[in-house]
Amino acid sequence: MQKKHLVIAIYDPEWFMQVRELLRKRGVLFSYYYEPGEIPLSSVFYTDHKEIADSVSERRDLEVVYDPEHDCRKIEQAVLATHLVESFRELVVGVDPGKHITYVALGDGTLVDYGKTDLLGFIKDLKYFLECIPSQSFRVKIGASPKGLELVQVLSKEFRIPFEIVSEEKTSPAIESRDEIRYIAGKMRRGLRPFRFKDVYAAYRIALKKGVEVS
């Protein structure tokens, strides 16, 4: 659960759009900067503008993240700061391989991100997670299917990270598993209903299960 509010003051319009899209997709509570006195107490304040950063520096209750270079690690640092942490102990990406690659990224068990993409898009997203989100360990868990095994072979040539092959048994939502579905639905974001977003639910279950590490 988010512990601190995030306030953003971004001068560059292109970077503003990218950050806003990221925060909205992640479900991060944030607001825009107008005046120093309007910033909520004990907020995390993210900006790419030096004068604005200097103007709020006297607020000792704020955690100011100044990012003139538009570094993805800085905005991720600001997001983590709203949860009162500097880094995840473990970042796990669970993958449901099929016609499309559906994935969820869990940071210490909390849903960080999710998506449905093709191979090139997934490689791009994996690189982002590795390069931008601070974590002490990182691994990818992929559903055990012919497509999953092919995916591991391709990804292992691109990345030097641990991969696990995970059984896909009981990863799809079923009526007889109401309690488990209700529990995971509470961990997923509002609107990601398990029976409607079956592939996201399956990727989530895969991320939670223990698999067999492959190289």
Side-chain angles (χ1 to χ4, degrees):
M1 181 181 293
Q2 189 174 337
K3 302 292 195 304
K4 287 188 173 187
H5 189 72
L6 176 64
V7 179
I8 62 172
I10 302 174
Y11 184 76
D12 181 87
E14 184 176 345
W15 184 241
F16 170 79
M17 297 298 292
Q18 290 182 42
V19 169
R20 187 177 66 171
E21 181 181 355
L22 181 146
L23 297 177
R24 286 178 172 176
K25 185 184 179 189
R26 298 278 187 84
V28 179
L29 298 176
F30 72 98
S31 60
Y32 304 111
Y33 169 77
Y34 295 103
E35 297 289 340
E38 296 179 357
I39 304 172
L41 286 171
S42 300
S43 294
V44 177
F45 188 86
Y46 173 86
T47 185
D48 63 351
H49 198 286
K50 188 176 188 305
E51 290 183 6
I52 294 177
D54 291 342
S55 71
V56 301
S57 62
E58 294 181 0
R59 286 277 303 271
R60 300 302 180 186
D61 62 302
L62 302 180
E63 181 169 349
V64 179
V65 179
Y66 174 50
D67 180 20
E69 303 299 327
H70 303 147
D71 182 353
C72 63
R73 286 188 68 86
K74 287 288 188 178
I75 183 59
E76 294 293 348
Q77 174 190 334
V79 172
L80 281 171
T82 67
H83 295 275
L84 306 182
V85 295
E86 295 181 356
S87 171
F88 289 120
R89 293 186 299 276
E90 182 179 50
L91 186 62
V92 176
V93 177
V95 182
D96 180 37
K99 183 178 179 180
H100 299 284
I101 297 172
T102 305
Y103 69 83
V104 299
L106 303 183
D108 297 338
T110 299
L111 181 61
V112 173
D113 205 349
Y114 67 94
K116 179 176 286 190
T117 184
D118 57 15
L119 177 59
L120 292 179
F122 184 58
I123 289 175
K124 179 182 177 182
D125 290 344
L126 270 188
K127 287 181 178 178
Y128 180 90
F129 296 148
L130 276 167
E131 295 172 3
C132 302
I133 301 181
S135 65
Q136 297 169 31
S137 69
F138 184 92
R139 67 180 49 242
V140 178
K141 299 183 180 182
I142 300 176
S145 67
K147 287 188 176 180
L149 294 172
E150 291 176 6
L151 184 58
V152 169
Q153 290 178 342
V154 172
L155 294 176
S156 60
K157 296 176 182 177
E158 188 81 23
F159 300 96
R160 298 290 184 183
I161 56 177
F163 291 96
E164 289 184 21
I165 292 294
V166 177
S167 169
E168 293 186 336
E169 184 180 2
K170 297 182 179 180
T171 57
S172 297
I175 296 298
E176 59 270 20
S177 304
R178 288 190 186 93
D179 290 342
E180 186 174 34
I181 290 172
R182 193 175 295 113
Y183 172 78
I184 292 180
K187 298 289 187 179
M188 295 169 71
R189 294 212 181 90
R190 184 181 302 174
L192 286 176
R193 300 183 183 91
F195 283 98
R196 183 177 178 184
F197 295 88
K198 294 181 180 181
D199 293 344
V200 176
Y201 176 87
Y204 200 114
R205 289 284 292 116
I206 288 169
L208 295 177
K209 295 180 72 174
K210 178 67 177 176
V212 177
E213 189 167 321
V214 294
S215 57

